[in-house]
Amino acid sequence: MKVLVLSRWFVRWNGMSRVAYEISRRVSRRYDVVVVSHRGYVDKEWEKEVDVVKIGKSPLRPDSIFDVREVILREKPDVIHSHGILGFAAYLSKYPYVVTYHGNWPYDWFLGLKNFVSSMVFSPVMYVEMRAADVVVSVSCFSQRMLRRLFSVDSIVIHNGIDDVFWEKPPICKELDRPALIFIGGVDKRKAGYLPSISNMLLGHAHIYVIGKVIDGRLAAKLSSLPNVTLLGTVGDVRQYLYSGDIFILPSTIEAFPLTVLEAQACGLPVVAFDVGGIREAVVNGRTGYLVGRGDVRKFVRMVMRLISDEKLREWMGSKAREQAEKFRWDNVVKKYIELYKGVAENME
């Protein structure tokens, strides 16, 4: 069986890309896998593990779909797996395909003009792609409900997973100022917009380590000015920080099903997050962490302080977090995708 994986980006700093990578490298152990992505957005190390075909146009150009169609016609796959709008090219080329929906539409409309314009351009393409797909996969029950309500698209749920490596403590861990709070995600309004307020309220109580690509320069500058915040940018092995940290925080306002909370829990960290999207499908409130209402900064800080002040509670939640993360090992997730590919390919014979 030959599987063609379509992903606009194939980079470490993008959650959708990481899902595409984890699935591709595992499926390639048994089947022929080729990834199609945009030149300039392909991780060099990942490229060593998986065959990648690079197309030249920018990910923001809708006409790049026609370049992808040419690759599909040349490769002649048995099944196509699209992560994002490039699956429209599969629709144009009449090949069987699966779409995994990672989006937060329409909740990301109001994060800025760029997001709004992008949604207006790509949403019709995404709609056609999903309506014509053989199977649509949602990464959370929350996403499944949104697709049904907004697009009248039925889907199956396959949650994102985590690599086994996150249960292994790295040989070297970072020395951090304690109590150490870890944040992993793009530094932008969606994920980190509330982080300055939270950090200000925790001055003198905790140090916050921010790991992730800087997308909003003004927000990054505001965080850099705070004495209890360290911006680390992207790092090679986040486990070096997760295993040294005390609590994982995610004040994101929109999430389908974030990998970071799963990875943090696998490393034994309790999580404090806003109760948005599919996060509650990963974090068990009161057992593996605390979920608070979106934008409720005061309660967010209060829950962080509760964990800081109670070491036994923190350790108990950390142990339960590792148990919870066991449900989401990537190898188990990928088995579901392989069975899905087989079913779609067989139906076309």
Side-chain angles (χ1 to χ4, degrees):
M1 182 169 62
K2 186 173 188 177
V3 182
L4 201 64
V5 177
L6 312 180
S7 182
R8 295 166 69 193
W9 301 279
F10 202 56
V11 290
R12 294 174 192 270
W13 51 262
N14 176 263
M16 180 184 72
S17 299
R18 290 169 60 202
V19 172
Y21 162 73
E22 294 291 354
I23 294 172
S24 298
R25 75 185 183 96
R26 283 174 168 80
V27 174
S28 66
R29 296 168 186 168
R30 295 176 59 183
Y31 302 104
D32 187 8
V33 175
V34 177
V35 174
V36 181
S37 192
H38 291 267
R39 190 180 307 279
Y41 294 88
V42 176
D43 186 277
K44 292 181 180 179
E45 293 302 313
W46 290 0
E47 196 176 359
K48 295 176 183 177
E49 298 182 70
V50 184
D51 290 336
V52 181
V53 175
K54 303 172 192 175
I55 57 175
K57 293 188 178 72
S58 163
L60 299 178
R61 288 183 54 171
D63 61 338
S64 63
I65 286 171
F66 297 102
D67 290 349
V68 178
R69 180 176 180 271
E70 290 182 10
V71 177
I72 292 171
L73 295 175
R74 184 175 70 243
E75 294 289 338
K76 297 180 174 59
D78 295 295
V79 65
I80 297 168
H81 187 176
S82 171
H83 298 268
I85 66 165
L86 295 185
F88 189 72
Y91 163 72
L92 292 176
S93 55
K94 307 302 180 184
Y95 273 76
Y97 69 101
V98 173
V99 176
T100 294
Y101 177 67
H102 301 269
N104 296 295
W105 188 93
Y107 296 96
D108 54 358
W109 275 21
F110 309 106
L111 293 175
L113 180 61
K114 184 178 178 181
N115 289 76
F116 184 80
V117 172
S118 177
S119 293
M120 289 297 97
V121 172
F122 291 116
S123 291
V125 177
M126 184 173 63
Y127 174 77
V128 173
E129 175 198 38
M130 289 191 294
R131 293 293 294 181
D134 293 87
V135 179
V136 177
V137 177
S138 294
V139 297
S140 65
C141 296
F142 166 79
S143 295
Q144 184 186 51
R145 292 192 297 271
M146 290 301 98
L147 281 183
R148 187 177 295 129
R149 191 172 79 185
L150 298 170
F151 290 112
S152 298
V153 169
D154 289 324
S155 61
I156 65 170
V157 176
I158 301 179
H159 288 105
N160 293 332
I162 21 177
D163 197 325
D164 293 349
V165 72
F166 282 95
W167 278 270
E168 302 169 9
K169 188 174 182 179
I172 300 175
C173 289
K174 299 293 183 180
E175 292 186 11
L176 306 178
D177 292 335
R178 296 189 177 280
L181 311 185
I182 311 297
F183 167 92
I184 302 176
V187 181
D188 59 13
K189 185 178 179 181
R190 174 169 73 95
K191 287 184 177 285
Y194 283 96
L195 206 49
S197 300
I198 291 168
S199 303
N200 264 315
M201 294 177 70
L202 288 169
L203 273 172
H205 299 287
H207 198 93
I208 300 171
Y209 293 87
V210 178
I211 299 171
K213 181 181 175 67
V214 172
I215 299 168
D216 187 327
R218 289 185 179 181
L219 180 58
K222 189 181 294 186
L223 287 167
S224 296
S225 69
L226 296 171
N228 65 332
V229 175
T230 300
L231 262 66
L232 297 164
T234 56
V235 302
D237 187 355
V238 295
R239 295 178 304 151
Q240 294 180 328
Y241 293 89
L242 291 173
Y243 272 95
S244 293
D246 297 299
I247 304 165
F248 184 82
I249 60 172
L250 186 64
S252 181
T253 56
I254 308 169
E255 291 290 348
F257 191 74
L259 293 173
T260 53
V261 296
L262 293 177
E263 293 165 354
Q265 289 182 113
C267 294
L269 289 188
V271 175
V272 179
F274 287 151
D275 186 7
V276 297
I279 290 182
R280 61 168 49 210
E281 296 170 46
V283 179
V284 182
N285 187 37
R287 183 177 176 86
T288 71
Y290 292 112
L291 300 176
V292 304
R294 172 178 170 171
D296 191 345
V297 173
R298 291 188 179 279
K299 187 173 182 181
F300 192 101
V301 171
R302 196 159 65 244
M303 294 302 99
V304 170
M305 290 301 299
R306 178 181 294 180
L307 286 168
I308 287 174
S309 62
D310 192 334
E311 184 178 359
K312 288 186 177 179
L313 174 64
R314 203 165 63 240
E315 290 177 352
W316 178 79
M317 281 194 166
S319 67
K320 296 305 176 184
R322 282 176 69 88
E323 292 177 11
Q324 170 71 359
E326 286 282 350
K327 302 175 184 177
F328 301 98
R329 287 185 183 265
W330 261 123
D331 285 345
N332 296 328
V333 173
V334 168
K335 288 177 184 176
K336 297 177 183 178
Y337 273 109
I338 288 175
E339 291 306 309
L340 183 58
Y341 296 159
K342 286 179 179 178
V344 171
E346 288 170 2
N347 286 339
M348 295 302 295
E349 291 179 356

